[in-house]
């Protein structure tokens, strides 16, 4: 399972290893300082980490989907979205079409979950689904499917568990030190005779780690996340052969001011753009899960008619003026030049109002609203808790009977 | 005696490495060849979907555009030919599909003249299906050609080409677009 | 969603592909920000579309009427008047979720519009649309 991440991304692996090392150091020195046993501390740290990992591995995706109140859709619910995901599945060579979820939320975002490609899901907010044309939607889905294909979901879950364990350990240890745990440990040590200096040094190192480790881990985590975003953008452009689709979708998403109601901090790297972004932040912020959108858009638009990973890497060099690329060199070897395709016909999707109705109709259906088609052309949608079998049309005054609905529970 | 054992060990190690190399290359080639086959199967699925969609599309358009008989016939013929070409090999199938794409884009150009048709919900649903099927064909072709490239590289490059020659791995054929019109996947547009 | 004025059951009225939330008890109407944008975009109003943030920017009216809470974020809404020829008192969500017309306000719109149209400016056009949808309300 690791060979794809490993073969592509030595640097990511180094960063992950650094985080793991931080955890071990923290465990060891806290153990020394608190119970006089470094190995004991190590065991506790690893135990917490393993338990958290197991939980994230087996429950992570269903948890995040239920927190987001995402609803699974079928092909008939939204043929265009389903088709686009299927197209990207084919283009990426993924073995299975991911499950597709819609989140009833006017904000603009999308994310992917699932620990491996055969058990993955993509989710999109209704707001974003309404706003994007076919090419843009394809770009967004290509980006999300790249996360699945590149095993980013697994990697980032793994990393956030590491980060979580470090933060948790530091937090508990700080409590224990403040409330006397250390005194006991310290005196036991000194009564054992000698090593007073050593104890002091260990305690000093433990305190420094206590403060530094969570921050350092956070920064490493952000660095990994940003790299995976660039890679997902690049793969997205390659799969669609149309970088402009993703670029223009990102622009629309960045232009929106609405925040996702159900976003979860630990999960931020999986969204197409950071749901916790602050306006007016410095461009190359170290403390962000995502590269600045304006830069991502500029890179995609600088690909000069190409759609290959190499074209993305070249564009990245130009835009960021950085000596280092974002695409691992192993992925660039032997790859043929790829030309970008033309955009879909401008009206290959219904106009905006129709897209909005298409999405809202779907959401009403899921909420068990009854539909009344009045003769005057007005449509009335009645919530399940509406009492009575008929309703008067406020436009023409006709009284319409409400078709039988599913029994409401309320 | 000790010299004999050393020689024996060296020979065994070399033999072991050699067999290991054959084993790895062979498996690698088989894996790639299967990937090419799978990718081709993907294209086939999408082409079949395209063939299934066309009669439906022609029927829907006929209801609105009665005087375009020639165009309908051209599409139907091209579709039947393409269906017959299924299984006749990559080259001839690609050619037949190219012809079909050409006829299809002429049909879609005809649709432009009939605003009522373009507003028909049935047609809209069909159109999304067609757009997506065309996309899926080109995406699966992308994936197929990528797989063929990797496989061919492996069969032609030293040292795996020796194994490929020994066990008769033939290079794969690219799915090339043969008709100029196919270069642009027919894009349905309705304003 | 519950009616912000009387907690009654709100039904969705779709007229000319625009959705409005309509309380069957007090006849109040919630105009969602997204729907308002769709309407104004379609009308192709001069001077750009009428956005909720524009309405929020209008000066607050001090009136005795009880403050209403936005049905989406539950924050207290701001009271402003729109329409130049026929002023209508409405509640607007300060977070930009939408605009609420009390049942009485819609009645007022209907009364004023009887046969003539509201002013041709963008606020007037929106009021006009509301009058058209709720032609024979209640």
């Amino acid at each position: 399972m690791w060979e794809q991440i490993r073969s592509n991304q030595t640097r990511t692996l180094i960063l992950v290893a650094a985080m793991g090392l931080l955890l071990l150091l923290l465990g060891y020195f806290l153990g020394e300082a608190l119970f006089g046993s470094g190995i004991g501390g190590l065991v506790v740290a690893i135990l917490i980490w393993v338990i958290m990992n197991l939980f994230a591995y087996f429950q992570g995706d269903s948890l995040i989907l239920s927190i987001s109140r995402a609803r699974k859709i079928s092909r008939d619910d939204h043929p265009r979205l389903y088709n686009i995901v299927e197209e990207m599945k084919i283009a990426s060579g993924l073995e299975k079409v991911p499950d597709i979820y819609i989140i009833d939320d006017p904000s603009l975002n999308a994310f992917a979950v699932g620990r491996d490609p055969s058990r993955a899901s993509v989710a999109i907010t209704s707001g974003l689904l309404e706003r994007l044309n076919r090419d843009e939607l394809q770009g967004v889905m290509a980006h999300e499917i790249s996360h699945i294909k590149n095993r980013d979901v697994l990697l980032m879950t793994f990393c956030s568990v590491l980060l979580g364990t470090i933060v948790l350990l530091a937090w508990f240890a700080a409590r224990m030190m403040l409330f006397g745990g250390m005194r006991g440990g310290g005196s036991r040590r000194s009564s054992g005779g000698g090593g007073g200096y050593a104890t002091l040094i260990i305690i000093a190192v433990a305190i420094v780690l206590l403060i530094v480790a969570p921050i350092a881990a956070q920064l490493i985590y952000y660095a990994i996340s940003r790299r995976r975003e660039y890679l997902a953008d690049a793969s997205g452009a390659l799969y669609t052969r149309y970088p402009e689709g993703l670029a223009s979708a990102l622009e629309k998403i960045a232009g929106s001011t609405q925040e996702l109601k159900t976003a979860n901090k630990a999960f931020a790297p999986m969204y197409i753009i950071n749901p916790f972004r602050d306006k007016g932040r410095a461009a190359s912020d170290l403390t962000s899960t995502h590269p600045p959108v304006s830069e991502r858009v500029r890179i995609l638009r600088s690909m000069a008619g190409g759609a290959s990973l190499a074209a993305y890497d070249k564009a990245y060099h130009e835009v960021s003026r950085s000596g280092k690329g974002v695409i691992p060199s192993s992925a660039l070897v032997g790859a043929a030049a790829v030309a970008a395709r033309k955009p879909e016909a401008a009206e290959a999707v219904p106009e905006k109002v129709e897209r909005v109705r298409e999405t809202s109709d779907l959401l009403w259906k899921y909420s068990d609203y009854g539909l009344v088609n009045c003769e005057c052309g007005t449509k009335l949608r009645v919530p399940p808790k509406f009492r009575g079998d008929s309703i008067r049309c406020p436009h023409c005054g006709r009284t319409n009977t409400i078709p039988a609905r599913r029994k409401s529970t309320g | 005696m000790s010299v004999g054992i050393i020689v024996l060990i060296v020979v065994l190690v070399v033999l072991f490495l050699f067999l290991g190399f054959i084993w790895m290359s062979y498996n690698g080639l088989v894996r790639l060849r299967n990937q090419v086959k799978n990718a081709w199967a993907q294209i086939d699925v999408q082409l079949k979907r395209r063939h299934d969609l066309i009669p439906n599309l022609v029927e829907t358009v006929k209801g609105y555009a009665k005087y375009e008989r020639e165009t309908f016939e051209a599409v139907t013929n091209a579709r039947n030919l393409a269906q017959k070409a299924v299984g006749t090999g990559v080259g001839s199938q690609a050619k037949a599909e190219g012809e079909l794409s050409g006829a299809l884009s002429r049909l879609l150009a005809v649709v432009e003249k009939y605003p009522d048709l373009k507003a028909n919900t049935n047609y809209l649903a069909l159109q999304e299906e067609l757009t997506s099927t065309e996309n899926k064909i080109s995406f699966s072709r992308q994936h197929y050609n990528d797989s063929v490239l990797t496989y061919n590289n492996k069969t032609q490059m030293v040292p795996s080409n020796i194994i490929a020659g020994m066990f008769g791995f033939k290079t794969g054929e690219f799915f090339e677009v043969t008709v100029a019109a196919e270069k642009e996947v027919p894009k349905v547009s309705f304003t | 969603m519950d009616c912000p004025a009387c907690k009654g059951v709100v039904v969705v009225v779709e007229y000319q592909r625009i959705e409005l939330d309509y309380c069957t008890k007090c006849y109040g109407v919630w105009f969602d920000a997204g729907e308002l944008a769709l309407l104004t975009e379609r009308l192709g109003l001069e001077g750009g579309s009428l956005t909720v943030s524009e309405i929020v920017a209008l000066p607050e009216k001090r009136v005795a009427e009880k403050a209403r809470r936005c049905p989406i974020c539950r924050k207290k809404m701001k009271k402003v008047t729109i329409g130049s020829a026929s002023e209508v008192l409405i509640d607007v969500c300060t977070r930009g979720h939408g605009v609420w017309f009390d049942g009485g306000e819609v009645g007022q719109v209907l009364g004023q519009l009887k046969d003539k149209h509201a002013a041709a400016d963008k606020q007037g056009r929106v009021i006009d649309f509301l009058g058209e949808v709720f032609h024979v309300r209640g």
Side-chain angles (χ1 to χ4, degrees), chain B residues 23-38 151 154-155 163 167 169:
Chain B
W23 184 66
M24 298 254 288
S25 310
Y26 182 82
N27 280 356
L29 281 165
V30 170
R31 194 169 47 81
L32 289 175
R33 193 172 57 185
N34 286 342
Q35 196 179 323
V36 169
K37 270 190 200 151
N38 279 341
Y151 171 68
K154 191 91 175 178
T155 54
I163 312 298
F167 294 97
F169 284 90

Side-chain angles (χ1 to χ4, degrees), chain B residues 1 9 21 28 53 86 119-120 151 153 179:
Chain B
M1 164 216 145
I9 289 173
F21 159 73
L53 273 173
V86 172
N120 177 305
Y151 171 68
N153 282 349
V179 170

Side-chain angles (χ1 to χ4, degrees), chain C residues 58-70:
Chain C
L58 294 172
E60 180 150 20
K61 278 274 171 218
R62 306 224 166 267
V63 282
E65 196 183 79
K66 201 179 149 226
R68 314 243 179 259
R69 286 179 185 278
C70 165

Side-chain angles (χ1 to χ4, degrees), chain A residues 194-255:
Chain A
Y197 251 148
T199 316
L200 264 180
I201 291 173
I202 285 171
I203 290 174
V205 171
I207 290 175
V208 169
L209 272 175
L210 208 64
I211 297 161
V212 172
I215 299 168
Q218 192 100 47
L219 290 181
I220 296 175
Y221 175 76
Y222 288 143
I224 299 172
S225 171
R226 286 196 302 272
R227 287 187 68 77
R228 306 311 291 195
E229 287 305 318
Y230 284 124
L231 189 61
D233 280 356
S235 319
L238 175 68
Y239 295 155
T240 55
R241 300 287 200 267
Y242 189 60
E244 177 56 31
L246 180 56
S248 119
L250 283 173
E251 245 177 7
K252 279 191 184 173
I253 296 170

Side-chain angles (χ1 to χ4, degrees), chain A residues 105-373:
Chain A
D105 195 308
S107 70
L108 310 184
N109 226 322
F111 65 79
V113 288
R115 59 176 187 246
D116 64 71
S118 61
R119 186 183 185 265
S121 316
V122 289
I124 182 168
T125 61
S126 54
L128 188 57
L129 190 55
E130 288 166 0
R131 212 66 69 88
L132 300 182
N133 68 29
R134 201 177 199 289
D135 277 332
E136 292 160 346
L137 196 55
Q138 201 183 48
V140 168
M141 285 300 138
H143 174 98
E144 296 310 330
I145 284 185
S146 307
H147 275 316
I148 297 172
K149 181 80 181 172
N150 299 339
R151 310 272 177 146
D152 291 347
V153 184
L154 187 67
L155 176 75
M156 290 323 293
T157 311
F158 183 82
C159 291
S160 60
V161 167
L162 251 177
L163 173 64
T165 313
I166 290 172
V167 170
L168 201 74
L169 265 182
W171 189 82
F172 269 124
R175 286 301 114 104
M176 282 175 78
M177 284 189 171
L178 280 175
F179 300 111
M182 179 135 73
R183 241 178 307 137
S187 61
R188 210 182 317 134
R189 269 253 143 158
S190 45
S191 66
Y197 251 148
T199 316
L200 264 180
I201 291 173
I202 285 171
I203 290 174
V205 171
I207 290 175
V208 169
L209 272 175
L210 208 64
I211 297 161
V212 172
I215 299 168
Q218 192 100 47
L219 290 181
I220 296 175
Y221 175 76
Y222 288 143
I224 299 172
S225 171
R226 286 196 302 272
R227 287 187 68 77
R228 306 311 291 195
E229 287 305 318
Y230 284 124
L231 189 61
D233 280 356
S235 319
L238 175 68
Y239 295 155
T240 55
R241 300 287 200 267
Y242 189 60
E244 177 56 31
L246 180 56
S248 119
L250 283 173
E251 245 177 7
K252 279 191 184 173
I253 296 170
S256 154
T257 50
Q258 249 159 347
E259 270 201 8
L260 189 62
K261 280 178 281 186
T262 56
N264 180 298
K265 273 230 162 65
F267 207 68
M270 291 302 61
Y271 293 94
I272 186 148
I273 73 168
N274 187 0
F276 301 100
R277 62 194 188 278
D278 290 337
K279 295 270 169 308
R281 257 195 174 174
S284 60
D285 204 331
L286 281 177
T287 61
S288 172
T289 50
H290 288 61
V293 177
S294 58
E295 189 185 310
R296 288 167 69 189
V297 171
R298 248 182 309 151
I299 296 173
L300 287 165
R301 292 212 166 126
S302 310
M303 287 173 74
S308 64
L309 295 179
Y312 188 89
D313 207 44
K314 192 160 166 285
Y316 174 83
H317 281 298
E318 280 165 19
V319 171
S320 69
R321 296 211 177 77
S322 148
K324 285 174 277 181
V326 271
I327 308 298
S329 48
S330 60
L332 297 177
V333 175
V338 178
R341 65 170 170 83
K342 291 201 178 65
E344 295 275 353
E347 285 86 18
V349 250
E351 58 174 314
K352 190 177 162 200
V353 61
E354 293 305 319
R355 290 204 302 262
V356 174
R357 285 291 76 87
E358 186 180 68
T359 312
S360 64
D361 286 358
L362 185 59
L363 295 170
W364 296 132
K365 195 183 107 189
Y366 275 132
S367 319
D368 286 327
Y369 271 58
L371 173 64
V372 177
N373 278 307

Side-chain angles (χ1 to χ4, degrees), chain C residues 30-46:
Chain C
W30 170 255
F31 215 136
D32 194 79
E35 302 296 324
L36 186 64
L38 284 180
L39 174 68
T40 50
E41 255 169 55
R42 187 170 67 205
L43 293 174
L45 293 177
E46 277 168 46

